[in-house]
Structures are given as C-alpha cells and as structure tokens.
Amino acid sequence: MAREAALAACLEAVLGSRCSANRVFELLEPLAGQEEPEDIVSAARTCSRLFGALLERRELFVGPLPDQDASLGESCSAEDKYRIWMRHRYRDCVGCLGELMGHDAFQVKELALCTLMKFVELEAQYPLIKIEWKGTLTFPCDLLKVVVDGLLPTTEDASLLISRFQEYLEYDDVRYFVMKAVTASIGQVMQKTKERPLPFYQQNVFSLISPINMPNKESEMVKFMVKQDNREELKFSKLQAHKQVFEKMWLTFLKHKLPPGLYKKVLVILHDSVLPYMNEPTLMMDFLTVAYGIGGAISLLALNGLFILIHQHNLEYPDFYKKLYSLLDPSIYHVKYRARFFHLTDLFLSSSHLPAYLVAAFIKRLARLALTAPPEALLMIIPFICNLFRRHPACRVLLHRPGGPADMSEDPYVMEEEEPSESRALQSSLWEIQSLQNHYHPDVAKAAAVLNQSLSEMEDDISGLLELSASELFDREVKKKAVDVPLEFEQVRGLFGKKNDIFAEHFSLD
C-alpha cells in the first residue's frame, strides 16, 4: 500500500507541475522488470494513467520525434523541449511494456498488453502524427507492431496471451494492421532461420491468425478504432484490401517449412477459414499439392483444400486418382480424420465418367483392407462399396463372376500395384465381402449379406455412419432389449410327453 501511495503521489506531482517532470523516472524504474510482479503491475497502471492523461491533454510532441540532445538547442522553445522530452519518456514506457509482454508472470504480461492497446486507442484518437492533408492515416502502426512482436516470441508458447488479444481483432482497422504486422514479422524472423522450422514462433503465429474472422461483405465492416471523417476513402475500410492483406499473410506463413503437427492444424482449417477469403485461392495450389504428396494423415487433410480448388477453380492435378488410391492403407480405418477422408473420397468417386477399371481398383482395395478393419468401420465401408456399384454398374462383374477366386491365393488382383490400371481388379471377384458374411459381429454379417441380393437403385445414406465409433457401437448393443428365444419347436406338455398323459388316465384317482 505504501508503494502504491508513493506512486500516486508521484503521478499527481508530475501531472500537477512541470517542475516535477523528472519524477517520471520514479514511475518508469519499476518497469525495468527487476521488481516483484505486484510492484510492476502498480507502476504500469500508474504509467497508463500518466501518459493517457498527457495524450488527452496534447502535451506530447506531435510529428517526427527529434533526437533528445538536439532538442536542447536554443532553436526550440521551452514548450517544445518539454513536449519532446516527455515524448521520449513515453517511448521508453512503450519499450518497457513491450519487454514486459515476455515476463514470467501472466498478470504482468496481460497488463502490459492491455496498457499498450489502451495507448493504441488513445493515439488513434489523439494522433502523434502530424496531419498535413485530409487523407493522412492516423493509425499508430508502429505502436501496434510492438504489440504484435510481443505476441510472437520465438522461445515460448504465447497462446494464452494471444487469446486475451482476440477481442481487439474485432476492430476492422486493428485486424487489417495486425495482419500487415504479422506478415512483416514472419519475413524478418523466418529469414534468419535458413528454412529451419521455429516451432514456438510458428505455433504462435498460427494461434494469432487462425481465429481471424474475415467479413463477408463490405457493409459488415462498421467497427473501427480510428475515428476519421474520410475513412471510406482509406484502404483499410475496403473489403478487397482486407482480402489482399489476408492472402499475403497466409502465403507468407505457408511458404516456410512447418512442423508436422502444425501442418495438420493448418490443413484442418484451410478449406473453410482461409480459401473462401482469398482473392486468388489458386495461389494455394503449390502448398496443397506438396502437402498431398507427403503421405499419411497430412495427405488426407490436404484433400479438402484440393477438392475446393478442383471443383470450384478448375485446378488440374495430374495423377490425382493414383495418389488418392495410394492413400488407401490399413490406417484409413483408424485415423482421426476417417470421416472427412471417406466423405471426400465419396465425392471424388461420384462421377459416372470414371473408367470402370479405376472404380473397381478402389472397390477391391477397400474390400481387401476391410478384412482387418474394426466393426464400426465395416458398417460404413460396406454401404460405401454398395453405392459405388450403384453408380458404376460395369463394376458389378465383381459380384457376379461364376468360378471366380474364392480366396486370396487365387485372386488375380495385385494389392501392391500402385497404378490402378495395372491392378487387374476387374478380373477379380469380391470374395472379401462374402467372407465378412461370417463376421463375428451380427450387424456386419447382416450388412455384408446385402450383396447377395439385387441392389436397389436408391443409394444408402452413409453420412450417419462416417463418424460411428466403437463406443457408440458398444452402447447401441448394450441398449438392445433382450427377447425370449424359443428353445424347442413344440412346447413340452409333461416330463414324459404323451406317455405321461396315458399314465395319468390309468392311474387316475377317480
């Protein structure tokens, strides 16, 4: 309490008389970060009140800041000397707050962030930039850059502090200049790494830019921190300009090598949070094709973005189906993104113009992999295969081939062949599904038995089966009501049947 009282007295003295201006150093000293967190917080709050008041009273120098020593010459008035000197103290305060955003105590980081953003708002209202013509931009971009740099450390995870900053991104102008500052930061930081990933820094950048909500229409851009009369004429009030900055930021971020875990996070949101807000989504083609070629879960996730580019932007991808075919391995029935993968595969195989050999290769590989798949996956893949037969009747030869292979040893299908056209799938039969008719799970056996009958023309709706899990399947079985099962064809009438009745007649008590 004594420390807070001393700071309050110091604040009152500095604001009350310019003769006490030197006491501002008593307020700045604790911001050096050597004090206890509580003392730093108290000093930061006091500095916030001090420089907030000086900005409102227009007592800080406006315009390009002269060197402090040069301002002491006789050419400057006493008023200008004071304003220049105090503006330098304000700059010292901003520098200290920027460093405090990396403090160990979160309460110090949070207060430093909020104080800097308060200064951003005040500088937007009382600009320190000399307005020489009507269209002069008064937004404090340099001050906002200090904030962005503090949010993107290279040696620690700043996701908690970034989540605290998200509320400021609701301002359209703040969002615009944050995106520009992030783009500049990525260029400066990643240039020094010589293409080596910086996991903490790149994760922090992703945490900052991934939640950005871009407006869909220019009429939605109504919330601005800067109150300027001619705002409609400025770039940051145009949706097109926002899209350009957004696009440049993401392209700059993605042109550098990403850690594998971050690669997946980017691909999960790319199709619905990034591509729709780009002026030229096709610029993502290189990133997505590289991701699609990596293999594994990353390739599965890249399918979403590629689907949008192929169907909406006429992207041509050579050997696309060959690569899609190669993604079919035992893991696809177990991966986290199974539902998304099969949803997209279903869309890619929906065209009736696909050659029969290609669809037959997909059917055979899915059926072969189904032999080791869990029940929850089988209940999805069997209707999936049935739908492929409905769309491509030429493939039904796999179902109706008398004298076809009965097991793997006789099967002409080459599972290891990477080229679908060379897999000899059309010469095979679907004995795998016949094997599943003897599956231990009754629902799977029942689903596989459907192929013994003529398929209906109506496709099965598999949307509810894509995300079926083992726990849901278990719960479904547990909730089934038990029914009485008759154990004999004829009901037993006695211990010895009819003989018992004859015995009763002869030895009746009557």
Side-chain angles (χ1 to χ4, degrees):
M1 292 295 292
R3 184 62 180 269
E4 290 184 7
L7 290 172
C10 185
L11 171 65
E12 187 176 352
V14 175
L15 290 176
S17 170
R18 292 186 177 182
C19 297
S20 304
N22 275 330
R23 295 194 65 185
V24 72
F25 290 111
E26 296 177 32
L27 303 178
L28 294 174
E29 187 179 0
L31 297 184
Q34 305 301 320
E35 307 288 335
E36 292 295 321
E38 293 76 12
D39 295 334
I40 297 174
V41 167
S42 299
R45 286 177 177 155
T46 307
C47 286
S48 174
R49 291 196 291 271
L50 169 64
F51 292 108
L54 292 175
L55 281 164
E56 291 175 355
R57 285 156 51 167
R58 308 290 180 95
E59 292 188 12
L60 297 181
F61 183 79
V62 176
L65 185 60
D67 184 78
Q68 188 171 335
D69 295 333
S71 66
L72 299 177
E74 296 180 0
S75 58
C76 292
S77 64
E79 178 71 16
D80 282 344
K81 288 179 181 178
Y82 170 77
R83 289 172 182 268
I84 292 171
W85 186 85
M86 195 56 83
R87 172 84 178 272
H88 276 281
R89 303 292 75 76
Y90 172 62
R91 190 172 69 172
D92 294 341
C93 176
V94 167
C96 289
L97 290 171
E99 292 181 5
L100 288 176
M101 287 181 68
H103 196 274
D104 292 337
F106 181 74
Q107 61 174 340
V108 174
K109 294 181 181 182
E110 184 180 27
L111 184 61
L113 169 65
C114 295
T115 304
L116 285 170
M117 289 309 296
K118 177 188 174 183
F119 289 162
V120 168
E121 189 170 2
L122 286 170
E123 278 198 41
Q125 190 175 357
Y126 308 103
L128 297 177
I129 301 167
K130 189 173 289 186
I131 301 175
E132 298 178 350
W133 62 85
K134 188 178 179 181
T136 301
L137 178 66
T138 59
F139 193 91
C141 300
D142 292 340
L143 181 55
L144 188 64
K145 186 179 182 303
V146 173
V147 176
V148 171
D149 289 343
L151 292 171
L152 302 176
T154 59
T155 56
E156 64 174 333
D157 181 7
S159 55
L160 188 59
L161 189 62
I162 289 170
S163 65
R164 180 65 180 83
F165 178 72
Q166 294 301 325
E167 65 183 73
Y168 297 106
L169 292 176
E170 294 178 8
Y171 291 99
D172 294 302
D173 47 357
V174 172
R175 181 176 59 246
Y176 177 83
F177 290 109
V178 163
M179 291 191 293
K180 293 194 75 169
V182 169
T183 304
S185 172
I186 295 170
Q188 293 169 2
V189 174
M190 296 306 296
Q191 188 178 13
K192 302 172 185 176
T193 67
K194 297 181 180 178
E195 294 306 314
R196 284 185 299 102
L198 282 177
F200 280 119
Y201 175 77
Q202 289 171 296
Q203 177 60 54
N204 290 331
V205 171
F206 180 76
S207 298
L208 179 57
I209 67 178
S210 58
I212 288 179
N213 291 318
M214 287 286 287
N216 293 305
K217 303 174 184 175
E218 203 160 297
S219 57
E220 296 176 2
M221 298 171 60
V222 293
K223 191 174 182 181
F224 294 90
M225 185 176 281
V226 173
K227 307 296 186 290
Q228 288 191 248
D229 297 333
N230 63 327
R231 190 179 62 225
E232 304 81 27
E233 303 172 12
L234 296 174
K235 240 186 174 183
F236 63 78
S237 64
K238 306 293 183 184
L239 180 59
Q240 189 75 1
H242 273 253
K243 285 189 171 184
Q244 287 174 351
V245 174
F246 179 81
E247 181 177 276
K248 185 177 181 181
M249 174 185 69
W250 273 102
L251 290 173
T252 304
F253 176 59
L254 296 179
K255 79 177 183 180
H256 300 285
K257 186 177 181 181
L258 300 176
L262 191 55
Y263 228 128
K264 295 176 185 178
K265 291 179 182 178
V266 169
L267 291 168
V268 165
I269 69 164
L270 196 68
H271 67 286
D272 58 0
S273 298
V274 180
L275 290 178
Y277 303 104
M278 295 179 66
N279 284 327
E280 295 184 53
T282 51
L283 293 174
M284 282 290 183
M285 181 176 65
D286 291 342
F287 172 75
L288 285 169
T289 50
V290 169
Y292 191 48
I294 288 177
I298 291 178
S299 292
L300 301 185
L301 293 171
L303 273 176
N304 256 41
L306 280 175
F307 175 76
I308 291 174
L309 294 184
I310 290 172
H311 281 259
Q312 297 180 14
H313 302 280
N314 300 318
L315 169 69
E316 291 187 7
Y317 187 100
D319 296 329
F320 174 80
Y321 284 98
K322 178 181 175 182
K323 179 61 183 176
L324 181 62
Y325 182 71
S326 71
L327 294 179
L328 301 180
D329 60 32
S331 68
I332 60 166
Y333 292 130
H334 305 275
V335 291
K336 180 180 178 182
Y337 313 106
R338 184 187 72 195
R340 177 179 298 196
F341 172 73
F342 279 103
H343 169 70
L344 290 170
T345 303
D346 188 46
L347 291 174
F348 283 123
L349 295 176
S350 61
S351 173
S352 59
H353 299 292
L354 294 175
Y357 76 81
L358 179 66
V359 179
F362 274 89
I363 291 174
K364 274 297 293 183
R365 180 165 279 196
L366 288 170
R368 182 67 61 83
L369 295 173
L371 293 174
T372 56
E376 63 273 14
L378 290 173
L379 291 175
M380 175 271 298
I381 203 61
I382 293 173
F384 185 95
I385 290 174
C386 290
N387 286 344
L388 292 180
F389 281 124
R390 291 184 176 101
R391 295 172 198 164
H392 308 276
C395 294
R396 295 191 183 187
V397 66
L398 295 175
L399 294 174
H400 310 292
R401 172 165 279 135
D407 56 33
M408 194 181 302
S409 62
E410 302 175 6
D411 198 342
Y413 171 68
V414 184
M415 180 76 171
E416 296 75 21
E417 176 58 55
E418 296 181 359
E419 185 63 58
S421 61
E422 303 294 330
S423 65
R424 302 173 64 191
L426 276 176
Q427 301 172 32
S428 180
S429 69
L430 220 57
W431 58 266
E432 295 91 347
I433 300 299
Q434 191 172 3
S435 298
L436 292 176
Q437 293 173 10
N438 299 314
H439 197 275
Y440 70 86
H441 197 289
D443 289 349
V444 173
K446 183 179 178 181
V450 170
L451 289 172
N452 290 340
Q453 307 163 8
S454 296
L455 291 174
S456 62
E457 293 185 6
M458 185 71 68
E459 288 194 10
D460 294 325
D461 182 12
I462 63 170
S463 58
L465 301 171
L466 289 173
E467 298 189 23
L468 183 65
S469 65
S471 58
E472 290 173 343
L473 196 59
F474 181 81
D475 291 341
R476 185 192 296 179
E477 291 295 320
V478 169
K479 291 175 183 176
K480 281 185 178 179
K481 292 183 179 179
V483 295
D484 293 331
V485 180
L487 301 178
E488 293 287 346
F489 180 74
E490 294 182 359
Q491 186 174 359
V492 177
R493 292 166 52 189
L495 183 61
F496 300 107
K498 290 184 178 180
K499 291 182 179 180
N500 192 41
D501 294 338
I502 296 170
F503 180 84
E505 289 177 5
H506 285 281
F507 296 95
S508 172
L509 294 175
D510 297 337

